[in-house]
Amino acid sequence: MKLAHQTAIITGSSSGIGRAIAVAFGREGANVVVNYNSSRAKAMEVVQQIKAEGGDAIAVKANVGKEADVLKMFQKAVEAFGQVDILVANSGIQDDAPFLKMTIDQWNNVITTNLTGQFLCAREAAKHFVAQAEGTTTPRAIGKIICMSSVHDMIPWAGHINYAASKGGVLMFMKSIAQELAPLRIRVNAISPGAIQTPINKSVWSSEENRQALMKLIPYRRIGQPEDVAKAAVWLASDDSDYVTGETLYVDGGMMLYPEFSDNG
Ligand code: NAD
């Protein structure tokens, strides 16, 4: 039980990667706050699964792009479990369009959820960590933040410039707050998944033709599963990674290895 007696807020955890992280954290003994934006029923399924496996969890509705919602989510976590020790800022959306046709609404929606949402959640988490730790001494981190980024924090992505800009922003956001918060003994890291089979990218794995095309981008020759990312998140949230901060862990089956150059380019 690597996360026993700790409380974790996982944003956007009613589906996909967030859901797998919520379940994995529950198995490691954490109290889990399953944040959702729209589907309470799906969030409650995750809560029930965690409880059925002997863990504890609550579902909390919050739009991560709205400051008042984020503040309320942290309040509810504290009311239920006493404190907050881990934040996984996982919520994210895509709203794709060619650059010349992208509307300001498409740009703003993605930046607000994917980047501003991380700012609002991480700032609130850090405030809670500092207030909770006052007067206590522990050689370990007083709190941990994991930012869900993407291989597109490094790989340019035509047709998805709002998404790539948001994840590129997450990279420097993560590193800058890691630098600022390390002296307070708060660890901040990111996970950058490659292609993981979730609802966000159904179009790329639901047809055989698209799946074959995708395999050309993945040297390891399989699509990732949400559990692949959840295992990395458990490690980054636990004391096993206590000396790791400001790092991005790419969980991508080698997508960042320029596979198109594997046969002499
Ligand atoms: P998903 O669509 O299953 O999960 C996204 C979650 O974010 C959903 O639960 C959704 O309800 C939630 N969300 C959306 N807007 C929100 C808001 N305003 N407030 C709160 N929650 C909100 O897809 P996923 O693949 O599990 O994505 C999770 C994260 O992983 C995202 O940040 C995504 O960018 C990142 N990611 C995914 C992949 C992949 O291949 N699936 C690759 C790289 C990065």
Side-chain angles (χ1 to χ4, degrees):
M1 290 275 191
K2 290 182 186 295
L3 305 176
H5 313 300
Q6 299 190 54
T7 298
I9 295 180
I10 300 148
T11 67
S13 52
S14 60
S15 70
I17 292 171
R19 178 182 181 136
I21 294 173
V23 170
F25 278 24
R27 287 182 188 144
E28 293 295 342
N31 301 314
V32 180
V33 176
V34 177
N35 159 249
Y36 66 98
N37 187 35
S38 51
S39 174
R40 181 164 178 82
K42 280 170 69 192
M44 285 311 295
E45 267 177 34
V46 184
V47 167
Q48 296 311 337
Q49 184 179 350
I50 292 169
K51 288 188 170 173
E53 295 185 16
D56 204 358
I58 57 168
V60 178
K61 180 174 166 65
N63 178 340
V64 295
K66 292 196 171 154
E67 188 173 24
D69 280 19
V70 171
L71 265 57
K72 239 185 269 165
M73 173 171 69
F74 276 80
Q75 262 171 24
K76 289 196 173 152
V78 172
E79 276 162 29
F81 298 122
Q83 65 177 62
V84 179
D85 307 280
I86 302 161
L87 165 73
V88 184
N90 167 76
S91 293
I93 54 169
Q94 281 181 223
D95 192 349
D96 308 329
F99 181 45
L100 297 186
K101 293 196 170 154
M102 186 169 285
T103 66
I104 184 68
D105 283 347
Q106 287 177 303
W107 173 264
N108 282 338
N109 285 343
V110 171
I111 297 293
T112 301
T113 301
N114 296 12
L115 187 55
T116 309
Q118 297 228 357
F119 160 71
L120 290 171
C121 293
R123 187 190 59 179
E124 205 51 27
K127 282 185 186 175
H128 277 262
F129 299 158
V130 169
Q132 288 162 191
E134 213 172 276
T136 64
T137 51
T138 151
R140 297 293 182 197
I142 62 165
K144 282 98 40 167
I145 296 171
I146 299 171
C147 301
M148 197 56 64
S149 187
S150 161
V151 288
H152 295 294
D153 59 12
M154 293 295 280
I155 300 177
W157 208 15
H160 310 260
I161 57 109
N162 47 0
Y163 185 83
S166 74
K167 297 300 187 180
V170 166
L171 177 73
M172 265 304 137
F173 168 72
M174 180 279 290
K175 283 188 182 289
S176 300
I177 62 170
Q179 190 187 59
E180 190 165 339
L181 298 178
L184 303 175
R185 279 181 302 111
I186 296 170
R187 295 194 299 114
V188 188
N189 291 288
I191 297 176
S192 288
I196 310 295
Q197 190 168 343
T198 73
I200 209 174
N201 56 4
K202 197 164 181 207
S203 62
V204 300
W205 50 262
S206 48
S207 90
E208 192 46 38
E209 196 188 345
N210 289 354
R211 191 181 263 269
Q212 290 300 332
L214 180 64
M215 284 310 123
K216 293 191 186 131
L217 301 178
I218 308 175
Y220 205 60
R221 296 287 186 263
R222 73 165 172 87
I223 191 164
Q225 295 302 317
E227 292 72 24
D228 291 313
V229 181
K231 286 173 194 161
V234 167
W235 182 70
L236 281 176
S238 77
D239 286 348
D240 286 349
S241 61
D242 191 58
Y243 206 48
V244 178
T245 193
E247 284 301 326
T248 298
L249 185 50
Y250 287 89
V251 180
D252 68 349
M255 197 177 243
M256 293 284 286
L257 298 174
Y258 297 94
E260 56 276 42
F261 282 87
S262 61
D263 191 20
N264 209 23

